């Protein structure tokens, strides 16, 4: 698995757009809206090497902070010029409040791509990159408010261990969110999806990334991943409560959510 992602890292974003016709961006936006992070949230994004979830998190928190500032100024008409100036200065100094996102990925090449994207896009504050295994996270107990993993958990060797680690590093009241390929609910779409997955995606991998085998593996890993209800039970077995899931695009992907209570 490590070699697969080391091989595809450079073309990962281009292939995601090509394979999903860009819909993966919408799925990730839905994940962030479901998370609905507030300023001060500490997020651990596992297997998020190229930064897609991290950058969305930063944008989301920034927009929340800006709305809060506008509401504050709107509802306090008697603020002095100095108080207004101080508010804007605080926003300029700490646009994320105390929010932080830690991107943890086992693959150094994926993290390298993510860092380069962050530098190019101007993301620096509130963002850190850590090499780590989802089955044995390099963090202490009860450190994070939210744990996310997007299109990564199906590539973990022991999913149960990764879920236990997610539970361990979350604070009481913390939330687990997983965006992953799942089981298509529409029979007709399912047949078309299988045809596309096995006949088209490896060809795209060869044309765009020069790597047929890696994308053949990725397609096969999707089919081996547990369906929605089975994965829900695995999350519950790890200790999470109020576990549910939301199918997107007829179950091509699903967002599973649970809480450490």
């Amino acid at each position: 698995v490590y070699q697969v992602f080391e091989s595809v890292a450079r073309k990962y974003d281009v292939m995601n757009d090509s394979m999903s016709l860009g819909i993966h961006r919408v799925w990730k936006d839905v994940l962030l809206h479901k998370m609905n992070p507030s300023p001060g949230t500490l997020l651990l994004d596992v297997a998020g090497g190229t930064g897609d979830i991290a950058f969305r998190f930063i944008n989301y928190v920034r927009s929340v902070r800006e709305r809060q500032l506008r509401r504050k100024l709107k509802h306090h008409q008697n603020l002095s010029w100095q108080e207004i100036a101080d508010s804007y200065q605080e926003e300029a100094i700490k646009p994320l409040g105390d929010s932080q996102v830690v991107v943890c990925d086992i693959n150094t090449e994926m993290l390298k791509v993510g860092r380069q994207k962050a530098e190019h896009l101007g993301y620096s504050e509130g963002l850190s990159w850590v090499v780590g295994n989802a089955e044995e996270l390099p963090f202490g107990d009860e450190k994070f408010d939210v744990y996310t993993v997007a299109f990564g958990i199906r590539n973990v060797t022991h999913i149960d261990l990764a879920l236990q680690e997610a539970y361990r590093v979350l604070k009481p009241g913390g939330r687990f969110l997983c965006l992953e390929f799942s089981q298509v609910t529409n029979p007709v779409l399912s047949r078309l999806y299988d045809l596309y997955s096995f006949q088209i995606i490896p060809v795209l991998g060869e044309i765009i990334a020069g790597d047929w085998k890696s994308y053949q593996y990725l397609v096969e890993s999707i089919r081996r991943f547990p369906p929605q209800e089975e994965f829900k039970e695995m999350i519950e077995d790890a200790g999470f409560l109020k576990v549910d899931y939301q199918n997107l695009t007829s179950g091509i992907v699903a967002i599973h959510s649970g809480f450490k209570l």
Side-chain angles (χ1 to χ4, degrees), residues 12-13 28 32 43 45 47-59 101-105 110-118 121 123 127-129 150:
Y12 189 74
D13 290 333
K28 290 167 183 172
L32 258 295
L43 168 65
D45 183 39
T50 56
D52 273 8
I53 303 302
F55 303 153
R56 281 170 169 78
F57 172 81
I58 290 172
N59 291 342
V101 53
V102 177
V103 180
C104 180
D105 200 302
M110 294 287 279
L111 287 171
K112 182 179 177 182
V113 172
R115 284 196 188 96
Q116 290 171 346
K117 280 174 62 180
L121 296 170
Y123 294 103
L127 177 62
S128 56
W129 309 84

Side-chain angles (χ1 to χ4, degrees), residues 6 13 30 33 68 72 74 86 93 102-103 124 131 160 165 168 187 191 199 203 208-211 227 232 242:
E6 188 173 50
D13 290 333
V30 173
H33 282 280
Q68 288 177 345
K72 175 183 174 182
K74 183 178 179 180
D86 290 344
I93 294 171
V102 177
V103 180
S124 56
V131 177
D160 55 339
E165 279 291 271
R168 180 183 66 80
R191 286 194 292 272
Q199 301 299 323
V203 175
I208 296 173
D211 192 337
K232 176 176 181 276
K242 295 180 68 68

Side-chain angles (χ1 to χ4, degrees), residues 170-212:
L170 280 170
K171 298 175 183 177
R175 189 175 191 185
F176 168 87
L177 285 164
C178 175
L179 172 63
E180 187 54 88
F181 290 107
S182 201
Q183 186 167 300
V184 179
T185 55
N186 183 304
V188 175
L189 180 60
S190 180
R191 286 194 292 272
L192 292 173
Y193 180 51
D194 281 345
L195 182 66
Y196 176 75
S197 297
F198 288 100
Q199 301 299 323
I200 305 299
I201 287 179
V203 175
L204 286 175
E206 180 65 31
I207 293 170
I208 296 173
D211 192 337
W212 177 293

Side-chain angles (χ1 to χ4, degrees), residues 154-253:
R154 76 179 188 281
N155 298 304
V156 172
T157 306
H158 303 101
I159 294 174
D160 55 339
L161 293 181
L163 292 171
Q164 290 168 22
E165 279 291 271
Y167 188 87
R168 180 183 66 80
V169 300
L170 280 170
K171 298 175 183 177
R175 189 175 191 185
F176 168 87
L177 285 164
C178 175
L179 172 63
E180 187 54 88
F181 290 107
S182 201
Q183 186 167 300
V184 179
T185 55
N186 183 304
V188 175
L189 180 60
S190 180
R191 286 194 292 272
L192 292 173
Y193 180 51
D194 281 345
L195 182 66
Y196 176 75
S197 297
F198 288 100
Q199 301 299 323
I200 305 299
I201 287 179
V203 175
L204 286 175
E206 180 65 31
I207 293 170
I208 296 173
D211 192 337
W212 177 293
K213 287 184 178 179
S214 291
Y215 285 93
Q216 181 73 26
Y217 159 77
L218 291 175
V219 169
E220 292 169 354
S221 72
I222 292 169
R223 296 308 185 275
R224 288 195 300 268
F225 190 71
Q228 290 88 325
E229 284 292 332
E230 186 179 334
F231 187 48
K232 176 176 181 276
E233 291 178 7
M234 293 176 70
I235 298 169
E236 290 170 337
D237 289 343
F240 290 100
L241 299 174
K242 295 180 68 68
V243 179
D244 62 15
Y245 61 85
Q246 175 185 357
N247 285 328
L248 303 178
T249 319
S250 296
I252 288 178
V253 302

